[in-house]
Amino acid sequence: MSNKEFEQQLQNALASLPNEIQPGRDLWPGIEHALNSQAAAPAVTSSKAKPYWGMAAAVATVGLLGWLGLTQLPGISDSAQLAQVLSQQHQQQKQALLASFSGQPALTDNWQQQVDELDAAALAIKQALKEDPNNPALLKMLQQVYQQQIDLIERVHAPAWQKI
């Protein structure tokens, strides 16, 4: 069967179909029931929306508490506070990594020296932040130094070729 013959048969089949489809039964009782149930309880929300309202309220509460907590700290600038939080998170992550890799041998011997050099760089950036607390480039540099330290520890103890 060629494409043209198929198209012709399809057009004939479509032309023979009725233009309107009648419902199998009367729909008015269902429509009346839906209208009456909406008029009886307009304040009821759908059950699908209830979890979203709860999540939105929880997020708003946590955000408000976090904002209030940050504004209540006396005398600490935003960048100094960010640097402090970055340092705490980095120390926790670094300790967790070192604990997880404690039984594995390191690939190089001087990795601890490299970590110490990165610590010295982080300390220098923190000193610079004390002198210029509103410098976002210094915060980004501090974050990058911390990430380099984490990457170094991971590469020395669990190189990518061992994971394959």
Side-chain angles (χ1 to χ4, degrees), residues 51-65:
Y52 297 116
W53 283 107
M55 285 192 308
V59 167
T61 303
V62 169
L64 179 65
L65 289 175

Side-chain angles (χ1 to χ4, degrees), residues 111-134:
W111 71 274
Q112 191 65 35
Q113 177 188 358
Q114 293 173 7
V115 169
D116 292 340
E117 289 173 0
L118 288 171
D119 276 335
L123 187 60
I125 294 171
K126 286 180 191 178
Q127 290 295 331
L129 271 171
K130 286 181 183 176
E131 295 173 11
D132 187 11
N134 295 327

